[in-house]
Amino acid sequence: MKQIANSLLKSYAELKGSIPEPRFQLDKNEISELIDTFRNLLFPGYFGNYGIEDLLSKARNLLSKYTATTEEFLAKLPQIRASIATDVDAAYDGDPASVSKEEIIISYPGLYAITVYRLAHELHLLKVQMLPRIMTEHAHSITGIDIHPGAEIGNCFFIDHGTGIVIGETTIIGEHVKIYQGVTLGALSTRGGKSLRGKKRHPTVEDNVTIYSGASVFGGETVIGKGAVLGSSVFVTKSVPAGTKFLN
């Protein structure tokens, strides 16, 4: 065992540049607890009966470990809640199988992923490091829906079913957009590596667009015009005019 320990210590020194020491200790259970606390604040009474002041105090204590902008973020919760309310409406109006808004809030994985994204996106805008990405990856592990916190997504966003959806960092999505399982909004190529950082690499999806299952849309210059419909399994690398049905 001593020989193994010495070999590991040698590895720590040799690979220090490739595997840096952590800037903070990540507690996955704590991240899950933080998300659950915010969901209790956003949907009071749905996941337990807790006092709002107790929940805010808990959220403040958990979040303050990761950012100095805790109070500024907490002040955004009413705004975040208003956006999520439009997403609930979109799911209820867009899914004939939905029985009630309560069912959507409690059980729809798409709404869970969107909720976590909207929280993480505001943290991203506040320049909080790592935590937003960890939050959306937590939602990804639970729902199979991968939304980068840097994406810009308008109100009334509906994800139906959802498993396998990928929405890249520089994606821009308008309002009243509906996407189904297996959709990818991605970059054409990442061979440029870090030289592409900060550049628009992912598509723009304008208002009232529907994208059916398995469709792939790539490229920062690709724009899916207002009211367009993309059919299942299409592969899109060029802009689609407004009102167009792109089915194959």
Side-chain angles (χ1 to χ4, degrees), residues 71-81 122 125-126:
E71 299 298 326
E72 188 175 352
F73 174 77
L74 293 177
K76 292 178 178 288
L77 287 177
Q79 168 194 328
I80 295 170
R81 191 165 189 263
E122 291 300 326
L125 293 177
L126 291 171

Side-chain angles (χ1 to χ4, degrees), residues 2 37 42 54-55 74 90 97 102 109 116 118 123 154 156 171 188 198 223 237 239:
K2 187 174 181 180
T37 302
L42 296 170
D54 290 339
L55 286 170
L74 293 177
E102 290 86 353
V116 175
R118 294 210 183 277
L123 289 167
C156 302
T171 302
L188 271 172
V223 177
T237 58
S239 295

Side-chain angles (χ1 to χ4, degrees), residues 76-98:
K76 292 178 178 288
L77 287 177
Q79 168 194 328
I80 295 170
R81 191 165 189 263
S83 291
I84 294 170
T86 72
D87 303 323
V88 174
D89 286 339
Y92 184 70
D93 293 339
D95 185 4
S98 62

Side-chain angles (χ1 to χ4, degrees), residues 39-111:
R39 289 181 79 211
N40 277 313
L41 285 165
L42 296 170
F43 304 109
Y46 275 86
F47 307 103
N49 293 310
Y50 305 95
I52 185 171
E53 291 185 2
D54 290 339
L55 286 170
L56 281 171
S57 178
K58 183 177 181 180
R60 182 184 292 111
N61 290 336
L62 289 168
L63 191 57
S64 62
K65 297 180 181 181
Y66 301 97
T67 175
T69 63
T70 297
E71 299 298 326
E72 188 175 352
F73 174 77
L74 293 177
K76 292 178 178 288
L77 287 177
Q79 168 194 328
I80 295 170
R81 191 165 189 263
S83 291
I84 294 170
T86 72
D87 303 323
V88 174
D89 286 339
Y92 184 70
D93 293 339
D95 185 4
S98 62
V99 175
S100 66
K101 292 182 180 180
E102 290 86 353
E103 176 191 34
I104 291 164
I105 291 168
I106 292 170
S107 66
Y108 275 38
L111 185 68

Side-chain angles (χ1 to χ4, degrees), residues 28-49:
K28 289 187 176 181
N29 291 329
E30 192 171 80
I31 301 299
S32 178
E33 186 179 5
L34 179 63
I35 290 171
D36 288 345
T37 302
F38 282 129
R39 289 181 79 211
N40 277 313
L41 285 165
L42 296 170
F43 304 109
Y46 275 86
F47 307 103
N49 293 310

